Amino acid sequence: DTGVSQDPRHKITKRGQNVTFRCDPISEHNRLYWYRQTLGQGPEFLTYFQNEAQLEKSRLLSDRFSAERPKGSFSTLEIQRTEQGDSAMYLCASSLALTSGSTDTQYFGPGTRLTVL
Amino acid sequence: DQQVKQNSPSLSVQEGRISILNCDYTNSMFDYFLWYKKYPAEGPTFLISISSIKDKNEDGRFTVFLNKSAKHLSLHIVPSQPGDSAVYFCAASAGEETSGSRLTFGEGTQLTVNP
């Protein structure tokens, strides 16, 4: 299976702890996105990378959140000093943008379910 | 500010009949629209997309219609099958220069297809 993978699938943590999630995109994809989904809502954009460059961050991404894609392949999303409001499904997606300005279809991973107690 | 809205939280249809899922948007800069299907505990699965230069795109049992003047799109599933039961999300993109290809999603519609 060469789809988008995410690890872990589930994470339970106590308030104030730091957590890190990993996303492995489809291998030839140059763009990688992070979204957050809460119950009853659609996914909300957090940030995206083109290769290793982080090109856009949502205002939802507070300074407790940081994302990296160091070699333009896998990405990590870290949440520091977790709060109960961070409990959500964190989704990663990847796409292949062939030219600047082209529309690209995003393919999603299974998500990481975070529960902050 | 909900730029993409799916006003029906749920829809129930009989197997073999047509399912029609609706989506409205407010941002006139959106130029690419997608439908995703989501099963519980899984990520969204891409179904079909349409560019704003078209008004219809078809892929097997799935057809998406776009009415730009009304800022409305719909997904038709014919014939509906029990395995189609899932949450369907409408998503839109305003293009790289405007929004970096980020997707804006609706709230989702739970489709139930009864045998």
Side-chain angles (χ1 to χ4, degrees), chain B residues 17 33 39-40 59 79 94 110:
Chain B
R17 306 294 284 267
F33 303 88
Y39 294 116
D59 183 2
Q110 171 70 58

Side-chain angles (χ1 to χ4, degrees), chain A residues 16-36:
Chain A
Q17 297 295 304
N18 298 345
V19 294
T20 300
F21 310 140
R22 177 181 170 120
C23 171
D24 287 89
I26 295 170
S27 59
E28 66 269 23
H29 283 185
N30 53 0
R31 286 185 176 171
L32 188 148
Y33 302 78
W34 286 99
Y35 291 83
R36 180 173 69 186

Side-chain angles (χ1 to χ4, degrees), chain A residues 4-21:
Chain A
V4 178
S5 62
Q6 292 186 246
D7 183 70
R9 294 291 305 274
H10 304 275
K11 179 70 177 178
I12 300 174
T13 191
K14 292 184 179 179
R15 189 170 47 138
Q17 297 295 304
N18 298 345
V19 294
T20 300
F21 310 140

Side-chain angles (χ1 to χ4, degrees), chain A residues 60-110:
Chain A
L60 289 176
L61 213 65
S62 77
D63 56 6
R64 296 184 297 105
F65 288 69
S66 62
E68 293 182 343
R69 193 183 184 199
K71 297 181 181 179
S73 56
F74 74 91
S75 174
T76 58
L77 177 68
E78 181 182 18
I79 309 174
Q80 297 182 327
R81 305 181 303 282
T82 52
E83 301 173 355
Q84 288 183 322
D86 297 331
S87 295
M89 173 77 84
Y90 290 84
L91 293 162
C92 175
S94 71
S95 69
L96 177 63
L98 295 173
T99 59
S100 175
S102 65
T103 54
D104 51 321
T105 297
Q106 296 176 30
Y107 297 89
F108 284 80

